[in-house]
Amino acid sequence: MKAMVLAAGQGTRLRPITDGKPKALVAVAGRPMIEYALLLLRHYGIREIVINLHHFGTQIENQLGDGSNLGLQISYSNEPKLLDTGGGLRKARAFLQDATFIVINTDALIDVNLAELIAFHRNRRATATLVLRPDEQADQYGSMDIDGAGRICRFLDSKIDLASAGTTRKLMFTGVQILEPKVFDYMECHGASEKFSTTRQTYPQLLLAGEPLYGFCFEGFWQDLGTPQRIAQAERSLAQGRARLHYLS
């Protein structure tokens, strides 16, 4: 299985730290932020990884090289202009389109078990499975609803709502997802260099088409790393033992 790590963001909420370096290389508890995602993937035997680059992208490439120092095979997808998640995935299609693949955001720490996620995805024959978590501020981050079977029935502020008569649960996206190459069929309407979002544009199309989209409910450790305050909070959690990342042991 291959993976893509999204690292093209400008890190505007981390300024002035990111005035001279990419968000992916900002230190968190002594490691570059992006290293956590890479080590999580490596722990589960996922070694072929593509990283998209934009803001100070050459620094990331110089730091990680071909990934051999981490036991990985890393390639890069350069974005002269930001393409958002959908455009970034579409640009990396040649690398990802042969089989099921994982996508992870750089700017969050998560202790998810990828083996369980992959099994969940395959058992349900899903086209896309997003790792979702309960959070009181779900609406602030962008909430999604799942039904009792875990099937996603609403994305963010999309007007599409396929909820059944049963109860639904409001959750938020963690930035980890597992996808089938079929998702690229729903990106054909966009130009090769067009900026677009998977959650706001691609996934609602899949939903309308009746594709099986699922939410994997995760209640373990997750911490957004988008601001200096949240990085400090993550570092305190790790230092005080209130959070443990199993893939670092």
Side-chain angles (χ1 to χ4, degrees):
M1 188 175 290
K2 295 179 180 179
M4 183 170 188
V5 177
L6 301 175
Q10 295 178 306
T12 53
R13 295 181 297 159
L14 282 169
R15 287 176 178 164
I17 303 171
T18 49
D19 284 343
K21 69 166 61 176
K23 174 171 58 176
L25 296 185
V26 173
V28 179
R31 297 177 188 270
M33 187 185 297
I34 194 171
E35 195 170 298
Y36 291 95
L38 297 174
L39 294 177
L40 172 62
L41 292 167
R42 186 185 72 179
H43 183 81
Y44 290 94
I46 300 167
R47 298 180 182 274
E48 294 183 69
I49 299 167
V50 63
I51 301 172
N52 68 334
L53 304 176
H54 175 73
H55 183 64
F56 293 114
T58 55
Q59 291 187 30
I60 299 174
E61 196 165 356
N62 291 339
Q63 172 88 12
L64 299 174
D66 63 4
S68 56
N69 287 342
L70 292 172
L72 301 171
Q73 300 171 44
I74 296 176
S75 57
Y76 299 93
S77 177
N78 288 285
E79 298 179 12
K81 67 173 186 177
L82 280 173
L83 297 175
D84 206 343
T85 52
L89 280 170
R90 192 182 194 282
K91 190 172 190 300
R93 178 175 184 167
F95 180 86
L96 299 167
Q97 65 184 356
D98 295 330
T100 309
F101 60 93
I102 290 178
V103 182
I104 298 183
N105 291 353
T106 295
D107 57 355
L109 288 185
I110 189 167
D111 197 41
V112 66
N113 184 315
L114 293 184
E116 292 179 358
L117 170 63
I118 293 167
F120 177 96
H121 175 83
R122 287 178 170 160
N123 288 341
R124 286 155 182 79
R125 298 182 179 180
T127 300
T129 299
L130 281 62
V131 179
L132 307 178
R133 64 184 297 273
D135 194 295
E136 292 179 355
Q137 297 180 315
D139 285 330
Q140 176 184 327
Y141 285 97
S143 65
M144 302 179 188
D145 292 351
I146 61 171
D147 64 19
R151 193 152 180 168
I152 295 174
C153 50
R154 183 186 63 82
F155 275 104
L156 305 180
D157 53 3
S158 169
K159 303 301 181 185
I160 305 165
D161 191 337
L162 303 182
S164 62
T167 59
T168 60
R169 188 178 185 189
K170 181 184 292 186
L171 302 167
M172 61 160 281
F173 183 37
T174 65
V176 179
Q177 54 198 308
I178 182 166
L179 307 173
E180 295 299 321
K182 193 172 186 179
V183 300
F184 291 116
D185 295 343
Y186 293 85
M187 298 179 180
E188 294 297 336
C189 58
H190 300 282
S193 59
E194 184 179 341
K195 178 180 179 180
F196 64 97
S197 164
T198 50
T199 52
R200 294 188 180 279
Q201 289 159 282
T202 307
Y203 294 157
Q205 291 180 54
L206 270 72
L207 203 65
L208 275 178
E211 295 284 350
L213 275 63
Y214 280 86
F216 178 84
C217 188
F218 171 75
E219 302 198 31
F221 175 71
W222 177 90
Q223 176 65 60
D224 170 51
L225 302 173
T227 68
Q229 295 77 17
R230 288 172 180 166
I231 289 176
Q233 184 177 348
E235 291 177 328
R236 285 193 300 271
S237 295
L238 292 170
Q240 296 169 6
R242 289 184 283 114
R244 176 180 172 272
L245 301 175
H246 71 279
Y247 50 89
L248 298 183
S249 58

